[in-house]
Amino acid sequence: MKLYYARGTIAIATAIALHEAGLDFEPVRLDFKAGEQTRPDYHAINPKGRVPALVTDQGILTETAAILDHIADLAPSAGLRPSDPWQAARMREAMCYLASTMHVNHAHKMRGHRWADQQSSFDDMKAKSVQTMTDSATYVENHVLKGPFVLGETFSLADPYLYVACNWLEGDGVRVADFPRIVAFIEAMRGRTSVAQVIADDMI
Ligand SMILES: N[C@@H](CCC(=O)N[C@@H](CS)C(=O)NCC(=O)O)C(=O)O
């Protein structure tokens, strides 16, 4: 498999999950500063011009939640998706929140051009993102993290996803130290071999 990614992006959740699953992959780095995600050759891989894109022998898969779910299916023995239906639903609840709300809040800082055309609108969205990301951190702190990980003691697909989103907080103007469960979660994640590997590979 080939993973198209850019440094620090949500694509790194896929890299962490692949390491957790013990699956080999070839990372292909895009330079966002050079706009490589906007070029026609990359649009042939992902017409949305976003990362991640995972190239498999069955085809190309995009959307972090779908990719993570597929990784759990490729490596069932890694136990990345709980067998208990309620726990699996709670894991997906967290992942849906990250995809639909926290990631979108984060995107308002740098990607205002998706929703508006005026510089004043971009400035307004960027300023507001400090509050919306603080709101996301508050929600994660109080309702998403049930222990060291999203599901409590059990590691799942939601954790790499949440780790990358939490990694954005400080840069988005959120005082992470105000959120002790998030601080402990980041610490627990950094203790895992999978996360140490993506840090060593300068992916995040
Ligand atoms: N819903 C997608 C969102 C992917 C996405 O927006 N990725 C960002 C990086 S975090 C991206 O590729 N942005 C490039 C751009 O907007 O030009 C997913 O979860 O995979």
Side-chain angles (χ1 to χ4, degrees), residues 57-72:
D57 52 13
Q58 289 181 286
I60 298 172
L61 199 56
T62 64
E63 296 300 324
T64 301
I67 294 173
L68 295 180
D69 207 45
H70 185 54
I71 291 169

Side-chain angles (χ1 to χ4, degrees), residues 6-194:
R7 190 179 189 281
T9 62
I10 205 59
I12 310 313
T14 293
I16 295 169
L18 286 165
H19 286 309
E20 291 280 346
L23 297 170
D24 276 342
F25 67 100
E26 179 192 334
V28 183
R29 189 172 180 126
L30 296 185
D31 182 353
F32 273 10
K33 288 204 178 94
E36 285 181 348
Q37 79 278 25
T38 65
R39 292 189 187 155
D41 55 339
Y42 185 64
H43 277 223
I45 293 159
N46 183 358
K48 290 173 277 193
R50 310 267 188 104
V51 292
L54 187 69
V55 182
T56 77
D57 52 13
Q58 289 181 286
I60 298 172
L61 199 56
T62 64
E63 296 300 324
T64 301
I67 294 173
L68 295 180
D69 207 45
H70 185 54
I71 291 169
D73 285 331
L74 292 178
S77 60
L80 296 175
R81 186 178 51 221
S83 53
D84 176 72
W86 177 250
Q87 291 301 317
R90 277 218 56 253
M91 178 196 82
R92 291 194 186 98
E93 179 186 38
M95 291 163 69
C96 289
Y97 174 75
L98 293 169
S100 65
T101 305
M102 191 165 176
H103 194 166
V104 178
N105 289 342
H106 169 71
H108 277 69
K109 182 184 167 197
M110 298 296 288
R111 306 280 184 206
H113 57 86
R114 288 182 193 161
W115 300 284
D117 294 312
Q118 311 290 329
Q119 186 60 48
S120 59
S121 305
F122 305 155
D123 295 344
D124 199 18
M125 280 187 253
K126 186 173 181 171
K128 183 79 176 174
S129 70
V130 178
Q131 184 200 315
T132 59
M133 284 301 274
T134 303
D135 292 345
S136 282
T138 305
Y139 176 70
V140 167
E141 177 80 8
N142 295 334
H143 301 287
V144 176
L145 284 167
K146 296 292 180 199
F149 302 113
V150 169
L151 297 179
E153 298 297 325
T154 309
F155 182 88
S156 75
L157 297 174
D159 296 304
Y161 205 155
L162 180 61
Y163 172 70
V164 176
C166 287
N167 198 58
W168 295 332
L169 288 171
E170 208 74 57
D172 287 351
V174 180
R175 281 171 41 91
V176 176
D178 291 346
F179 300 95
R181 277 178 185 253
I182 293 178
V183 170
F185 167 70
I186 292 171
E187 186 94 356
M189 289 297 288
R190 288 194 180 141
R192 296 184 78 87
T193 310
S194 58

